[in-house]
Amino acid sequence: MPVSGKKPDAMCPSRLVLEHVTSRWGVLILIALLDRSYRFGELRREIGGVSEKMLTQTLQTLERDGLVHRDAQPVIPPRVDYSLTPLGTEAAGLVAELGRWTEHRLGAVLEAREDYEARRGAARRAASDPS
């Protein structure tokens, strides 16, 4: 990983974990589970916009990585709760901090995008001007 100062190895397992933690749904799941445990349907509603298939796959991936705990209780109807492990809580705290930074700095990002688009537009107009 770049954190160590070395060139990142394309086959480094940490890349895959980073991908899982920072994926679109991984981030949202981790942040949601920081507040409390959720049943599958509750978590899906809390996150919004995620398909059952994608939520299932992402939860399984995060569980396999040791970040999420799946508690299947032998009751009728079946009850499954998802919560963070200590490792997951640590990762979720870091991801949530990045989320807070994003919200705090969104204005600056939007301004940078506008400036970029204005520069690109000016460059296109200059390139297409025959004079």
Side-chain angles (χ1 to χ4, degrees), residues 63-83:
E63 182 183 5
R64 185 179 63 237
D65 287 345
L67 304 174
V68 168
H69 174 70
R70 181 180 185 272
D71 181 24
Q73 300 174 15
V75 295
I76 297 175
R79 180 182 174 104
V80 178
D81 292 295
Y82 294 92
S83 60

Side-chain angles (χ1 to χ4, degrees), residues 14-35:
S14 63
R15 277 190 175 195
L16 195 53
V17 174
L18 185 62
E19 182 180 315
H20 297 162
V21 170
T22 61
S23 71
R24 176 182 183 181
W25 303 117
V27 165
L28 297 175
I29 289 169
L30 291 171
I31 290 173
L33 291 175
L34 259 176
D35 292 334

